[in-house]
PDB file of all heavy atoms in Angstrom:
ATOM      1  N   GLN A 391     122.529 132.248 -96.144  1.00  0.00           N
ATOM      2  CA  GLN A 391     123.489 133.435 -95.981  1.00  0.00           C
ATOM      3  C   GLN A 391     122.820 134.784 -96.095  1.00  0.00           C
ATOM      4  O   GLN A 391     123.114 135.668 -95.318  1.00  0.00           O
ATOM      5  CB  GLN A 391     124.594 133.320 -97.027  1.00  0.00           C
ATOM      6  CG  GLN A 391     125.867 134.038 -96.776  1.00  0.00           C
ATOM      7  CD  GLN A 391     125.842 135.454 -97.244  1.00  0.00           C
ATOM      8  OE1 GLN A 391     124.935 135.819 -97.995  1.00  0.00           O
ATOM      9  NE2 GLN A 391     126.754 136.230 -96.854  1.00  0.00           N
ATOM     10  N   LEU A 394     121.018 135.496 -92.969  1.00  0.00           N
ATOM     11  CA  LEU A 394     121.876 135.686 -91.772  1.00  0.00           C
ATOM     12  C   LEU A 394     122.513 137.009 -91.902  1.00  0.00           C
ATOM     13  O   LEU A 394     122.633 137.716 -90.791  1.00  0.00           O
ATOM     14  CB  LEU A 394     122.904 134.595 -91.830  1.00  0.00           C
ATOM     15  CG  LEU A 394     123.954 134.601 -90.697  1.00  0.00           C
ATOM     16  CD1 LEU A 394     123.257 134.474 -89.313  1.00  0.00           C
ATOM     17  CD2 LEU A 394     125.015 133.496 -90.861  1.00  0.00           C
ATOM     18  N   GLN A 395     122.875 137.529 -93.076  1.00  0.00           N
ATOM     19  CA  GLN A 395     123.496 138.790 -93.235  1.00  0.00           C
ATOM     20  C   GLN A 395     122.446 139.862 -92.740  1.00  0.00           C
ATOM     21  O   GLN A 395     122.868 140.767 -92.075  1.00  0.00           O
ATOM     22  CB  GLN A 395     123.855 139.071 -94.660  1.00  0.00           C
ATOM     23  CG  GLN A 395     124.463 140.449 -94.958  1.00  0.00           C
ATOM     24  CD  GLN A 395     125.831 140.527 -94.504  1.00  0.00           C
ATOM     25  OE1 GLN A 395     126.838 139.848 -95.016  1.00  0.00           O
ATOM     26  NE2 GLN A 395     126.113 141.367 -93.477  1.00  0.00           N
ATOM     27  N   MET A 398     122.199 139.734 -88.914  1.00  0.00           N
ATOM     28  CA  MET A 398     123.370 140.308 -88.223  1.00  0.00           C
ATOM     29  C   MET A 398     123.432 141.891 -88.426  1.00  0.00           C
ATOM     30  O   MET A 398     123.945 142.635 -87.561  1.00  0.00           O
ATOM     31  CB  MET A 398     124.680 139.641 -88.667  1.00  0.00           C
ATOM     32  CG  MET A 398     124.896 138.359 -87.978  1.00  0.00           C
ATOM     33  SD  MET A 398     125.059 138.552 -86.205  1.00  0.00           S
ATOM     34  CE  MET A 398     125.173 136.816 -85.604  1.00  0.00           C
ATOM     35  N   ASP A 417     133.238 132.068 -87.406  1.00  0.00           N
ATOM     36  CA  ASP A 417     132.271 131.443 -88.392  1.00  0.00           C
ATOM     37  C   ASP A 417     131.601 132.456 -89.282  1.00  0.00           C
ATOM     38  O   ASP A 417     131.286 132.256 -90.467  1.00  0.00           O
ATOM     39  CB  ASP A 417     131.174 130.689 -87.587  1.00  0.00           C
ATOM     40  CG  ASP A 417     131.723 129.853 -86.536  1.00  0.00           C
ATOM     41  OD1 ASP A 417     132.632 130.240 -85.857  1.00  0.00           O
ATOM     42  OD2 ASP A 417     131.282 128.676 -86.384  1.00  0.00           O
ATOM     43  N   MET A 418     131.402 133.729 -88.611  1.00  0.00           N
ATOM     44  CA  MET A 418     130.629 134.710 -89.433  1.00  0.00           C
ATOM     45  C   MET A 418     131.405 135.252 -90.622  1.00  0.00           C
ATOM     46  O   MET A 418     130.832 135.538 -91.708  1.00  0.00           O
ATOM     47  CB  MET A 418     130.395 135.984 -88.537  1.00  0.00           C
ATOM     48  CG  MET A 418     129.445 135.719 -87.370  1.00  0.00           C
ATOM     49  SD  MET A 418     127.744 135.520 -87.945  1.00  0.00           S
ATOM     50  CE  MET A 418     127.627 133.751 -88.199  1.00  0.00           C
ATOM     51  N   LEU A 419     132.757 135.168 -90.523  1.00  0.00           N
ATOM     52  CA  LEU A 419     133.592 135.607 -91.644  1.00  0.00           C
ATOM     53  C   LEU A 419     133.996 134.471 -92.553  1.00  0.00           C
ATOM     54  O   LEU A 419     133.877 134.478 -93.725  1.00  0.00           O
ATOM     55  CB  LEU A 419     134.815 136.363 -91.095  1.00  0.00           C
ATOM     56  CG  LEU A 419     135.821 136.883 -92.172  1.00  0.00           C
ATOM     57  CD1 LEU A 419     135.131 138.043 -92.897  1.00  0.00           C
ATOM     58  CD2 LEU A 419     137.108 137.361 -91.519  1.00  0.00           C
ATOM     59  N   LEU A 420     134.486 133.355 -91.882  1.00  0.00           N
ATOM     60  CA  LEU A 420     135.107 132.306 -92.638  1.00  0.00           C
ATOM     61  C   LEU A 420     134.130 131.355 -93.247  1.00  0.00           C
ATOM     62  O   LEU A 420     134.251 130.761 -94.295  1.00  0.00           O
ATOM     63  CB  LEU A 420     136.092 131.529 -91.767  1.00  0.00           C
ATOM     64  CG  LEU A 420     137.224 132.364 -91.257  1.00  0.00           C
ATOM     65  CD1 LEU A 420     138.247 131.545 -90.506  1.00  0.00           C
ATOM     66  CD2 LEU A 420     137.954 133.147 -92.393  1.00  0.00           C
ATOM     67  N   TRP A 422     130.482 131.968 -93.295  1.00  0.00           N
ATOM     68  CA  TRP A 422     129.313 132.493 -93.797  1.00  0.00           C
ATOM     69  C   TRP A 422     129.695 133.772 -94.704  1.00  0.00           C
ATOM     70  O   TRP A 422     128.725 134.309 -95.346  1.00  0.00           O
ATOM     71  CB  TRP A 422     128.339 132.953 -92.746  1.00  0.00           C
ATOM     72  CG  TRP A 422     127.732 131.710 -92.061  1.00  0.00           C
ATOM     73  CD1 TRP A 422     128.164 131.173 -90.900  1.00  0.00           C
ATOM     74  CD2 TRP A 422     126.679 130.912 -92.606  1.00  0.00           C
ATOM     75  NE1 TRP A 422     127.375 130.054 -90.638  1.00  0.00           N
ATOM     76  CE2 TRP A 422     126.525 129.824 -91.641  1.00  0.00           C
ATOM     77  CE3 TRP A 422     125.895 130.927 -93.720  1.00  0.00           C
ATOM     78  CZ2 TRP A 422     125.537 128.795 -91.828  1.00  0.00           C
ATOM     79  CZ3 TRP A 422     124.964 129.942 -93.861  1.00  0.00           C
ATOM     80  CH2 TRP A 422     124.762 128.916 -92.905  1.00  0.00           C
ATOM     81  N   ASN A 423     130.854 134.204 -94.641  1.00  0.00           N
ATOM     82  CA  ASN A 423     131.313 135.266 -95.520  1.00  0.00           C
ATOM     83  C   ASN A 423     130.490 136.559 -95.453  1.00  0.00           C
ATOM     84  O   ASN A 423     130.146 137.139 -96.384  1.00  0.00           O
ATOM     85  CB  ASN A 423     131.441 134.856 -97.010  1.00  0.00           C
ATOM     86  CG  ASN A 423     132.226 135.723 -97.844  1.00  0.00           C
ATOM     87  OD1 ASN A 423     133.266 136.313 -97.377  1.00  0.00           O
ATOM     88  ND2 ASN A 423     131.898 135.877 -99.135  1.00  0.00           N
ATOM     89  N   LEU A 424     130.184 136.842 -94.157  1.00  0.00           N
ATOM     90  CA  LEU A 424     129.299 138.058 -93.968  1.00  0.00           C
ATOM     91  C   LEU A 424     130.198 139.369 -94.183  1.00  0.00           C
ATOM     92  O   LEU A 424     131.406 139.359 -93.893  1.00  0.00           O
ATOM     93  CB  LEU A 424     128.809 138.076 -92.559  1.00  0.00           C
ATOM     94  CG  LEU A 424     127.761 136.974 -92.227  1.00  0.00           C
ATOM     95  CD1 LEU A 424     127.017 137.324 -90.955  1.00  0.00           C
ATOM     96  CD2 LEU A 424     126.726 136.703 -93.316  1.00  0.00           C
ATOM     97  N   GLU A 425     129.548 140.332 -94.560  1.00  0.00           N
ATOM     98  CA  GLU A 425     130.129 141.756 -94.516  1.00  0.00           C
ATOM     99  C   GLU A 425     129.992 142.298 -93.114  1.00  0.00           C
ATOM    100  O   GLU A 425     128.864 142.358 -92.698  1.00  0.00           O
ATOM    101  CB  GLU A 425     129.427 142.629 -95.489  1.00  0.00           C
ATOM    102  CG  GLU A 425     129.687 142.168 -97.006  1.00  0.00           C
ATOM    103  CD  GLU A 425     129.142 143.134 -98.020  1.00  0.00           C
ATOM    104  OE1 GLU A 425     128.638 144.149 -97.661  1.00  0.00           O
ATOM    105  OE2 GLU A 425     129.075 142.827 -99.220  1.00  0.00           O
ATOM    106  N   LEU A 426     131.104 142.690 -92.576  1.00  0.00           N
ATOM    107  CA  LEU A 426     131.068 143.076 -91.199  1.00  0.00           C
ATOM    108  C   LEU A 426     131.711 144.545 -91.044  1.00  0.00           C
ATOM    109  O   LEU A 426     132.506 144.957 -92.029  1.00  0.00           O
ATOM    110  CB  LEU A 426     131.865 142.189 -90.302  1.00  0.00           C
ATOM    111  CG  LEU A 426     131.341 140.760 -90.199  1.00  0.00           C
ATOM    112  CD1 LEU A 426     132.322 139.833 -89.708  1.00  0.00           C
ATOM    113  CD2 LEU A 426     130.020 140.676 -89.440  1.00  0.00           C
TER     114      LEU A 426
END
Side-chain angles (χ1 to χ4, degrees):
Q391 199 273 351
L394 181 60
Q395 180 74 68
M398 281 297 177
D417 313 43
M418 293 289 90
L419 183 68
L420 299 184
W422 293 99
N423 197 30
L424 295 193
E425 293 184 8
L426 300 165

